[in-house]
């Protein structure tokens, strides 16, 4: 490159830098002006919304309060998950208890053991507080056993076939069959029964059932059940209905949303089943780990008795391992009492949801069957004037063919009219079933999201606490271990 070209380059470079700086300054200035305009518009919009809200509040104070409550509910819905601790049975076992208010409060608590000559069973205290005018008093206290809860659920399922009835805990947990009167099993069942009653009391339809009122208020429920004819045959009929609805249902038209929902529920149930098996296996391993730690700790204390120099260190190690064993035991208990029950409940819930969706499909299948029968009869009626009745059974018996045709027309008209009424009834049942199913599925999905999130939140807090306690236990041993290293050097 020549000297003239070099000088041109040297002259151009400062000019380029100067142009770049000017352009950048202009860009920054434009950005600042745009930002100022955006902020001014936002302030203006906020001011207008505030003025509008104030005017609305003056015109309709109830609406303003409702809007404020809705905003508060949205902001607080998941905020408490990270700060909620395990609550006792009296305070409610579901996170939903503290989220929504109603006028019927039911708690299950204070299990009591009854030992009689023929049987031994557990009863649970039901406390009901309500402001409903349909109740004679505002507060009730009764005791109910597990089979009473079964009776209530059976009645709800019979009278509300289109609604989602919450599941009851299994009669036995297979690994606890021989220990069903243990404190852990009874407390877990008490909490599950409490959740069952909470979900019923929160339901806008189930909470108004007359049998629920009897269940909550009757002092002697056994005599009420006897007067209403409860017995073996009623239970048998329920089993027969269950078996009758266990076949495969074929539909002409499938609702794609319900099909997708059914697949999601099935997948969710399978995942819950796998998760429950893993958690149960981890629990068994934790219990074995606790037993081994409890056997391990005395080894160091016994060893310390035969040592002089390292005796303090061995004693500290023994105390440390004992603390870790206690923390591990508490962690295993927390996992069994607070983490596993929600998983089991929602695994049962998935089966109940699938059963309800199957009932809905049976309703649609019945509607389609009646519709097909009506169309077949209409087609037969339309073809009747063109049909030859000379070879019909009536004509062969000596009756006039025209009379035979007329009689068939009357019979078909009557059948079509009856089928039309049945079709309308079946269509109404299908619409009710669809409406109830969608509403209950929406409610169930919301509860599922919150309850499962809360269960994992508690589980994570329990694991953090366990590891923190173990770290603190081992950190307490470090000074003596380090002191021993210094003395040995």
């Amino acid at each position: 490159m020549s000297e003239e070209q070099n000088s041109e380059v040297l002259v151009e470079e400062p000019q380029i830098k100067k142009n770049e700086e000017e352009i950048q300054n202009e860009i920054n200035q434009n950005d600042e002006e745009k930002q100022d305009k955006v902020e001014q518009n936002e302030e203006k919009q906020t001011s207008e919304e505030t003025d509008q809200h104030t005017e609305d509040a003056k015109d309709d104070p109830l609406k303003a309060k409702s809007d404020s409550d809705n905003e508060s509910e949205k902001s607080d819905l998941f905020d408490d998950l990270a700060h909620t601790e395990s609550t006792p049975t009296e305070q409610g076992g579901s996170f939903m208890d503290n989220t929504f208010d109603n006028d019927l409060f039911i708690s299950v608590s204070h299990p009591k053991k009854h030992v009689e000559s023929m049987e031994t069973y557990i009863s649970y205290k039901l406390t009901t507080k309500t402001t409903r005018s349909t109740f004679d008093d505002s507060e009730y206290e009764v005791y109910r056993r597990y089979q009473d809860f079964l009776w209530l659920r059976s009645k709800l399922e019979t009278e509300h076939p289109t609604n989602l009835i919450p599941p009851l805990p299994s009669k036995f947990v297979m690994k606890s069959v021989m220990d069903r009167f243990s404190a852990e099993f009874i407390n877990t069942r008490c909490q599950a029964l409490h959740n069952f009653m909470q979900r019923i009391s929160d339901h806008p339809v189930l909470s108004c059932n007359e049998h629920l009122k009897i269940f909550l208020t009757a002092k002697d429920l056994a005599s009420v059940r006897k007067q209403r004819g409860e017995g073996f045959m009623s239970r048998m009929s329920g089993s027969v209905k269950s078996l009758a609805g266990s076949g495969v249902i074929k539909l002409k038209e499938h609702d794609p949303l319900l099909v997708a929902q059914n697949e999601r529920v099935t997948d969710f149930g399978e995942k819950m089943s796998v998760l429950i098996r893993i958690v149960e296996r981890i629990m068994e391993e934790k219990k074995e780990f606790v037993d081994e730690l409890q056997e391990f700790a005395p080894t160091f204390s016994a060893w310390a008795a035969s040592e002089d120099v390292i005796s303090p260190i061995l004693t500290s190690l023994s105390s440390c391992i004992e603390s870790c064993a206690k923390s591990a035991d508490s962690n295993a208990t927390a996992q069994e009492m607070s983490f596993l029950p929600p998983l089991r409940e929602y695994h049962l819930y998935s089966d109940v949801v699938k059963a309800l969706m199957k009932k809905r499909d049976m309703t649609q299948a019945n509607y389609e069957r009646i519709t097909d029968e009506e169309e077949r009869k209409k087609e037969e009626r339309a073809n009747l004037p063109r049909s030859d009745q000379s070879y019909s059974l009536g004509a062969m018996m000596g009756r006039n063919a025209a009379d035979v045709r007329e009689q068939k027309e009357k019979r078909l008209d009557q059948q079509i009219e009856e089928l039309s009424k049945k079709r309308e009834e079946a269509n109404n049942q299908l619409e009710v079933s669809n409406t109830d199913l969608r509403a209950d599925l929406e409610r169930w999905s919301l509860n599922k999201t919150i309850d499962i999130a809360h269960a994992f939140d508690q589980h994570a807090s329990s694991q953090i606490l366990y590891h923190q306690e173990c770290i603190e236990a081992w950190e307490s041993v470090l000074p003596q271990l380090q002191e021993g290293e210094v003395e040995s050097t």
Side-chain angles (χ1 to χ4, degrees):
M1 184 179 293
S2 63
E3 294 182 358
E4 294 180 356
Q5 291 176 336
N6 286 336
S7 61
E8 291 178 358
V9 171
L10 293 174
V11 171
E12 288 177 358
E13 283 183 355
Q15 184 66 32
I16 292 173
K17 290 182 180 180
K18 181 178 180 181
N19 292 336
E20 289 179 351
E21 292 176 356
E22 291 177 353
I23 292 171
Q24 186 63 39
N25 291 333
E26 290 178 0
I27 292 174
N28 293 336
Q29 185 177 0
N30 292 334
D31 290 342
E32 291 177 357
E33 291 177 355
K34 290 180 181 179
Q35 184 65 25
D36 291 339
K37 290 182 180 179
V38 170
E39 291 177 355
Q40 290 175 1
N41 291 334
E42 290 179 351
E43 291 177 358
K44 182 178 180 182
Q45 184 176 359
T46 303
S47 177
E48 291 176 353
E49 290 178 353
T50 304
D51 295 340
Q52 182 65 33
H53 184 73
T54 304
E55 293 177 1
D56 292 342
K58 293 179 180 178
D59 297 337
D60 191 354
L62 294 178
K63 182 178 182 301
K65 183 180 184 300
S66 176
D67 295 341
S68 176
D69 293 342
N70 290 336
E71 291 299 325
S72 176
E73 181 180 314
K74 290 178 182 178
S75 62
D76 296 340
L77 190 58
F78 287 96
D79 291 345
D80 291 341
L81 287 177
H83 308 291
T84 308
E85 299 179 355
S86 178
T87 55
T89 301
E90 291 83 351
Q91 297 178 1
S94 174
F95 178 77
M96 295 299 295
D97 301 349
N98 300 324
T99 308
F100 301 105
D101 295 330
N102 56 25
D103 55 358
L104 181 63
F105 303 89
I106 307 172
S107 66
V108 182
S109 61
H110 298 90
K112 185 194 303 183
K113 187 175 182 180
H114 301 263
V115 180
E116 299 179 357
S117 57
M118 297 297 293
E119 62 176 341
T120 301
Y121 64 93
I122 304 296
S123 66
Y124 303 89
K125 179 182 176 182
L126 261 76
T127 303
T128 304
K129 296 181 180 180
T130 181
T131 57
R132 294 185 179 182
S133 59
T134 54
F135 287 80
D136 296 332
D137 296 324
S138 60
E139 187 170 348
Y140 297 87
E141 285 187 1
V142 294
Y143 276 87
R144 298 286 182 258
R145 54 187 302 185
Y146 181 77
Q147 66 181 21
D148 297 330
F149 288 89
L150 290 175
W151 171 83
L152 173 62
R153 190 181 188 281
S154 175
K155 286 298 181 182
L156 294 175
E157 194 171 26
T158 301
E159 297 185 5
H160 304 282
T162 60
N163 287 115
L164 181 61
I165 313 299
L168 279 168
S170 301
K171 189 170 182 59
F172 297 113
V173 179
M174 292 306 296
K175 294 186 178 182
S176 304
V177 170
M178 301 305 295
D179 197 25
R180 62 190 181 96
F181 294 113
S182 65
E184 293 80 5
F185 180 82
I186 293 173
N187 289 333
T188 301
R189 169 168 287 184
C190 183
Q191 185 65 58
L193 294 176
H194 174 82
N195 293 342
F196 171 75
M197 296 307 303
Q198 282 292 314
R199 300 193 190 285
I200 292 177
S201 66
D202 289 338
H203 198 282
V205 177
L206 302 181
S207 63
C208 299
N209 183 270
E210 183 63 24
H211 287 94
L212 173 63
K213 179 182 176 182
I214 295 173
F215 179 81
L216 297 175
T217 60
K219 291 296 183 182
D220 188 4
L221 185 62
S223 61
V224 174
R225 293 173 55 183
K226 188 175 181 181
Q227 292 174 2
R228 293 174 177 261
E230 298 295 327
F232 172 76
M233 291 307 297
S234 63
R235 295 192 298 270
M236 191 67 183
S237 63
S239 301
V240 172
K241 290 179 183 178
S242 177
L243 292 174
S246 60
V248 178
I249 302 172
K250 295 182 179 180
L251 301 176
K252 288 185 176 181
E253 297 181 359
H254 293 272
D255 188 334
L257 295 178
L258 292 179
V259 171
Q261 182 70 21
N262 191 18
E263 292 176 353
R264 285 195 295 269
V265 172
T266 301
D267 184 60
F268 172 75
E270 293 173 354
K271 284 182 170 59
M272 285 292 102
S273 179
V274 173
L275 187 58
I276 288 170
R277 289 198 299 270
I278 293 174
V279 173
E280 287 178 343
R281 185 169 67 248
I282 292 175
M283 283 174 49
E284 292 298 323
E285 293 175 354
K286 280 188 176 181
K287 291 178 180 179
E288 293 177 357
F289 177 63
V290 171
D291 293 339
E292 291 176 353
L293 285 179
Q294 290 174 346
E295 293 178 1
F296 191 37
T299 303
F300 288 94
S301 58
W303 184 9
S306 59
E307 295 287 345
D308 293 330
V309 178
I310 62 174
S311 177
I313 297 177
L314 297 176
T315 302
S316 298
L317 286 172
S318 178
S319 300
C320 171
I321 295 173
E322 286 180 359
S323 299
C324 291
K326 291 180 180 179
S327 299
D329 187 37
S330 299
N331 179 255
T333 302
Q335 191 168 1
E336 184 175 11
M337 297 297 293
S338 62
F339 184 55
L340 192 56
L343 304 183
R344 286 174 174 160
E345 179 189 10
Y346 275 97
H347 179 251
L348 294 174
Y349 238 133
S350 64
D351 293 335
V352 173
V353 172
K354 288 188 293 184
L356 181 61
M357 299 182 78
K358 193 170 186 179
K359 285 183 182 179
R360 181 262 166 208
D361 290 345
M362 292 175 63
T363 303
Q364 180 179 343
N366 181 54
Y367 169 74
E368 292 179 352
R369 179 186 62 79
I370 295 174
T371 302
D372 291 344
E373 181 68 14
E374 183 184 9
E375 292 298 326
R376 189 179 67 81
K377 292 294 182 182
K378 286 181 178 179
E379 184 178 358
E380 184 180 350
R381 175 66 176 82
N383 295 330
L384 189 60
R386 299 188 297 271
S387 64
D388 186 5
Q389 300 296 322
S390 302
Y391 300 98
S392 64
L393 181 61
M396 294 176 65
M397 295 178 64
R399 297 175 58 188
N400 191 330
D403 294 339
V404 172
R405 181 182 294 107
E406 183 179 357
Q407 185 178 5
K408 283 187 175 181
E409 288 177 350
K410 291 181 179 180
R411 185 173 66 251
L412 286 172
D413 289 340
Q414 183 180 0
Q415 290 176 349
I416 292 172
E417 184 179 358
E418 293 176 354
L419 287 171
S420 179
K421 293 179 180 179
K422 289 183 179 180
R423 177 176 54 80
E424 291 179 0
E425 293 177 358
N427 184 53
N428 292 335
Q429 292 176 358
L430 181 58
E431 290 180 356
V432 171
S433 180
N434 287 335
T435 301
D436 291 346
L437 177 61
R438 289 189 177 95
D440 284 357
L441 283 179
E442 183 178 356
R443 184 181 297 105
W444 176 72
S445 297
L446 175 62
N447 291 353
K448 172 172 66 71
T449 301
I450 296 176
D451 289 344
I452 295 297
H454 184 51
F456 277 97
D457 179 79
Q458 285 187 314
H459 178 63
S461 299
S462 175
Q463 297 302 314
I464 293 172
L465 178 62
Y466 163 64
H467 289 291
Q468 285 177 341
E469 291 176 347
C470 290
I471 290 173
E472 292 175 358
W474 283 105
E475 284 179 343
S476 65
V477 184
L478 285 179
Q480 293 186 347
L481 291 175
Q482 293 171 352
E483 184 179 349
E485 291 180 356
V486 171
E487 292 179 354
S488 62
T489 57

